[in-house]
Amino acid sequence: GATTGEGGSTAASSDAEASAWEVADAEEGILQLDLEPATQRRLNVTINSRVASIWNQHEEEMLVRFADHSVQLQYTDLDGVRFFITEMQQAFERRSVEYHRMCFGFGRAAKGLLVRHTKLRVFNALGQMSQFKQFIRVITPGEYDEAARLTPHACPLVVMGDLRSGQQLLDDIPEDSTQTIESLAQSRKGRAALDLVADIVERRVAEMERTLAASGLL
């Protein structure tokens, strides 16, 4: 494993930690963010070689990109909106697991993966996050379909109304990667997808308001 600190310098993790992380390399990418609790400013980023390979990069290259805030986003525009919404809902959960699609590149050159994404959050006594650790395991289309069937709540695309199979999600990446929110808003099919996301957000906000009202917090 390798680490970049606040100033962007890169150094090896402790021997014990690095060894433990690299044992899992063939299976899981591991990404850890250490944060300043009060400000949520990033203090350190630690990764193993597997997570770098998922991004098709070397560890050192990926750490440099983290240091200068240029890490490639792994979602299409629409998927990014969907994941932002689900991430906000999970913000105070200590552990969450999601099954979703990652997308790199644009158009015919775009590549995709289906993954099981486990997130562990550490909070201090004030409820402020001090560490965010992620485990990313590449899965097969069949494994994604099984997760969508057995645990649909853990599949952000399913939650947001995208019921395509795992294989279809991979096959559609070249087309999906070219779609911006603006271009989606200009087609009937795109507007329907955006309207569905908006409807789900409205329902979730209404549910939160009812919960807060029932507890006397609103």
Side-chain angles (χ1 to χ4, degrees):
T3 301
T4 184
E6 178 184 0
S9 59
T10 302
S13 306
S14 67
D15 291 341
E17 183 181 19
S19 297
W21 281 34
E22 295 305 330
V23 165
D25 250 10
E27 295 288 337
E28 290 188 316
I30 306 176
L31 167 62
Q32 178 176 304
L33 306 178
D34 295 301
L35 309 168
E36 168 58 44
T39 64
Q40 293 299 284
R41 183 170 58 89
R42 194 176 68 210
L43 299 177
N44 292 294
V45 177
T46 308
I47 65 174
N48 69 351
S49 58
R50 176 55 175 156
V51 79
S53 71
I54 289 174
W55 262 259
N56 196 30
Q57 296 172 0
H58 295 294
E59 287 178 86
E60 294 77 10
E61 178 188 1
M62 190 171 185
L63 288 174
V64 168
R65 289 183 178 274
F66 264 110
D68 63 16
H69 303 282
S70 63
V71 175
Q72 181 182 6
L73 296 179
Q74 69 271 29
Y75 305 125
T76 66
D77 275 13
L78 181 56
D79 287 357
V81 172
R82 291 162 167 166
F83 286 115
F84 176 77
I85 294 167
T86 56
E87 183 63 31
M88 291 301 98
Q89 294 175 316
Q90 300 169 354
F92 296 102
E93 295 181 10
R94 294 187 179 277
R95 181 180 186 273
S96 60
V97 178
E98 294 177 330
Y99 299 84
H100 62 83
R101 175 176 69 171
M102 300 177 74
C103 176
F104 303 93
F106 184 84
R108 293 183 178 180
K111 305 295 182 183
L113 300 168
L114 299 170
V115 299
R116 180 182 190 270
H117 195 165
T118 303
K119 303 173 185 178
L120 304 179
R121 302 169 183 85
V122 176
F123 301 94
N124 65 12
L126 299 177
Q128 300 165 326
M129 187 161 58
S130 60
Q131 187 180 90
F132 184 33
K133 194 169 186 176
Q134 304 177 59
F135 300 84
I136 303 172
R137 180 191 297 266
V138 177
I139 61 174
T140 66
E143 289 173 316
Y144 177 87
D145 294 343
E146 183 177 18
R149 179 173 59 87
L150 298 177
T151 56
H153 61 277
C155 303
L157 297 185
V158 174
V159 170
M160 292 293 165
D162 191 334
L163 305 181
R164 286 177 290 179
S165 69
Q167 189 58 56
Q168 193 64 52
L169 286 171
L170 294 179
D171 292 343
D172 289 347
I173 280 178
E175 179 182 356
D176 289 355
S177 68
T178 65
Q179 295 176 338
T180 64
I181 298 301
E182 182 179 5
S183 68
L184 286 168
Q186 294 173 357
S187 71
R188 179 178 300 178
K189 181 180 178 181
R191 286 195 300 273
L194 294 174
D195 287 345
L196 180 57
V197 171
D199 289 344
I200 291 172
V201 171
E202 288 179 3
R203 291 200 301 270
R204 293 296 175 87
V205 170
E207 291 171 3
M208 291 174 60
E209 290 177 341
R210 286 194 294 271
T211 300
L212 291 172
S215 63
L217 299 176
L218 186 64

